[in-house]
Amino acid sequence: MNNRKYREKIEEILAPTEIKINGNQPWDPQVYNNNFYPRVLAKGSMALGETYMDGWWDAGQLDEFFHRILRANIEKSFRSFSEIFNCLLAKFYNFQKISRAYQIGEHHYNISNELYKRMLDKRMTYSCGYWKNAENLDDAQKAKLDLICRKLKIGPEMKILDIGCGWGGAARFIARRYKAEVVGVTISKEQAELARERCKGLPVTIQLQDYRELEGKFNRIFSIGMFEHVGYKNYKTYMKTVRNLLKEDGIFLLHTIGGNHSNVKIDPWINKYIFPNSMLPSAKQISEAIEGRFVIEDWQNFGADYDTTLMTWYQNFENNWDKLKQGYSKRFYRMWKYYLLCCAGSFRARKNQLWQIVLSPKGIAGGYQAPR
């Protein structure tokens, strides 16, 4: 099959999306290398991302390109044999076992605090903002932290555990506003160092530690954007660990991206270049891990807000690239742009969700009134 036939095959797959190769719309891909067609058909989403990084194609609105593909449910047409094999491998191997726990820190979070400072809000909150009444990123992230604290009913002198504390933004917010004692854990050395600096003088302890190594008892526990690194083979272990750490009258809040279907692996390009050993949980997988350990008090979805958050991160990244580019290659720029915009497109297509789940050990007496 020559390249023209490969192109015709891809055009046939794209037909339901109204995406046209070398078309005039901003979401239409402009292909500069004809080897793009057989490579994408043979290696699926991995090749789509790698050829973009290599400059073989481009699109004026990459986020809308992905929104249209995902909304039309044609992504499986580009699924390669290697993707299927990796899914089978994940059923037999625990990619998120404790000996591999720090790989994501080294690969993704230790690449430079400066990058994240330029891209994120002033608190460096690397998760979905709550845009209900917010007009900018700082307000959206503050509203998200406030929502979490109100859901947890945090009070003075409580002992709080933050699993996956990032750069300490949430721990600092709680310690200052609620006068509570916070223990934050992360698997990133650079995150831990900056979090300690930012929380200096506050009742906050930052630990470089895997969640499975934690000990103690806490009045409240929360986890923001960390559960995506746990892996389905470890969900029950995670919930059991949290249950053992939480006092009988405590509350646990899980803030996580979720998928519409139960899977065992994440997209192969995302796994290789952005979040190794990660995967998105389904509602079914979370519920099975919760069963017998917690009572579900509340389950809120504001996944559409992640589209806005990601597009704001991308704009910040783009606006600050001149200040950042000395430390990175052009290929990294294209990789990071592809990551942010393909994720924005997936949330816009409602393929991914953002859940906040409130759990209690035995059910809160008299019922739980969920803030919004």
Side-chain angles (χ1 to χ4, degrees):
M1 188 185 292
N2 58 33
N3 284 342
R4 184 173 64 83
K5 292 294 184 181
Y6 287 123
R7 172 173 172 165
E8 289 174 356
K9 178 63 177 176
I10 290 179
E11 288 176 331
E12 180 184 331
I13 294 171
L14 291 175
T17 69
E18 298 184 354
I19 293 172
K20 299 185 184 303
I21 293 173
N22 297 330
N24 297 320
Q25 297 299 326
W27 51 79
D28 290 332
Q30 308 301 310
V31 177
Y32 310 124
N33 187 323
N34 286 330
N35 290 324
F36 164 86
Y37 307 112
R39 185 170 168 186
V40 169
L41 284 173
K43 296 188 176 180
S45 63
M46 178 68 81
L48 189 66
E50 290 183 336
T51 54
Y52 184 83
M53 291 163 64
D54 292 339
W56 288 19
W57 68 280
D58 216 327
Q61 290 183 5
L62 199 57
D63 51 306
E64 192 58 24
F65 168 80
F66 280 105
H67 168 229
R68 288 171 174 266
I69 285 179
L70 295 170
R71 194 68 178 177
N73 293 312
I74 66 166
E75 64 273 14
K76 289 185 178 178
S77 299
F78 295 102
R79 199 177 188 196
S80 67
F81 173 77
S82 62
E83 292 176 54
I84 297 171
F85 174 77
N86 287 333
C87 285
L88 291 172
L89 184 62
K91 288 183 178 291
F92 299 100
Y93 186 75
N94 186 357
F95 285 97
Q96 298 84 14
K97 61 185 179 179
I98 198 165
S99 62
R100 298 166 62 93
Y102 292 84
Q103 289 182 2
I104 181 66
E106 288 297 323
H107 185 92
H108 189 78
Y109 298 107
N110 290 354
I111 58 175
S112 166
N113 286 336
E114 187 63 25
L115 168 63
Y116 292 107
K117 284 179 182 177
R118 298 284 184 181
M119 186 179 83
L120 304 178
D121 65 303
K122 65 183 181 182
R123 293 180 179 83
M124 296 181 70
T125 312
Y126 195 24
S127 56
C128 182
Y130 190 49
W131 291 86
K132 182 179 178 181
N133 297 310
E135 296 183 357
N136 57 62
L137 185 61
D138 284 340
D139 289 347
Q141 296 295 11
K142 180 182 178 182
K144 185 264 297 294
L145 294 177
D146 178 66
L147 180 67
I148 288 171
C149 292
R150 287 187 290 124
K151 286 181 176 181
L152 287 169
K153 303 183 186 299
I154 293 176
E157 299 181 6
M158 283 186 176
K159 191 172 182 180
I160 315 294
L161 174 62
D162 178 356
I163 303 177
C165 65
W167 293 274
R172 188 169 183 264
F173 180 86
I174 291 169
R176 293 180 68 182
R177 177 166 292 200
Y178 292 91
K179 312 303 179 186
E181 178 186 348
V182 186
V183 175
V185 294
T186 175
I187 43 71
S188 165
K189 182 181 178 182
E190 289 207 18
Q191 281 188 337
E193 289 175 354
L194 185 56
R196 287 171 186 143
E197 179 184 326
R198 288 159 62 89
C199 295
K200 190 176 295 182
L202 295 169
V204 175
T205 303
I206 302 296
Q207 300 171 183
L208 186 64
Q209 193 173 25
D210 181 77
Y211 70 92
R212 286 161 286 201
E213 301 168 328
L214 287 165
E215 296 178 349
K217 285 290 182 180
F218 298 87
N219 303 104
R220 302 289 189 265
I221 301 176
F222 67 92
S223 181
I224 305 174
M226 174 271 177
F227 197 67
E228 299 88 336
H229 304 311
V230 170
Y232 83 106
K233 284 184 175 291
N234 305 301
Y235 291 159
K236 290 183 180 179
T237 297
Y238 179 93
M239 292 298 176
K240 182 180 178 181
T241 300
V242 172
R243 178 64 186 87
N244 291 337
L245 292 166
L246 188 64
K247 291 185 177 181
E248 290 297 300
D249 60 349
I251 302 175
F252 168 50
L253 184 143
L254 179 66
H255 174 114
T256 182
I257 299 171
N260 294 340
H261 304 283
S262 296
N263 293 303
V264 297
K265 287 284 286 181
I266 202 168
D267 174 84
W269 184 87
I270 291 285
N271 183 70
K272 180 177 179 179
Y273 290 100
I274 307 298
F275 294 117
N277 309 324
S278 298
M279 61 164 288
L280 302 184
S282 69
K284 177 183 177 181
Q285 289 168 331
I286 293 174
S287 296
E288 288 178 345
I290 288 171
E291 187 171 333
R293 296 180 175 89
F294 291 103
V295 172
I296 299 175
E297 301 287 358
D298 184 50
W299 194 312
Q300 182 183 6
N301 181 1
F302 51 95
D305 285 18
Y306 226 143
D307 178 13
T308 308
T309 302
L310 282 155
M311 292 304 295
T312 307
W313 288 347
Y314 166 67
Q315 200 58 58
N316 289 344
F317 172 71
E318 191 72 44
N319 292 343
N320 285 283
W321 179 244
D322 282 345
K323 301 181 183 71
L324 292 167
K325 63 184 180 182
Q326 288 187 343
Y328 301 96
S329 66
K330 182 68 173 178
R331 197 165 191 264
F332 175 90
Y333 166 79
R334 293 182 66 83
M335 177 190 78
W336 206 255
K337 177 180 178 179
Y338 187 90
Y339 149 54
L340 293 172
L341 294 181
C342 76
C343 288
S346 72
F347 282 99
R348 194 175 308 161
R350 300 310 307 279
K351 286 291 185 178
N352 295 333
Q353 312 304 325
L354 190 286
W355 296 322
Q356 281 192 357
I357 308 167
V358 179
L359 307 171
S360 66
K362 295 181 178 179
I364 295 172
Y368 177 83
Q369 299 300 314
R372 291 289 187 269

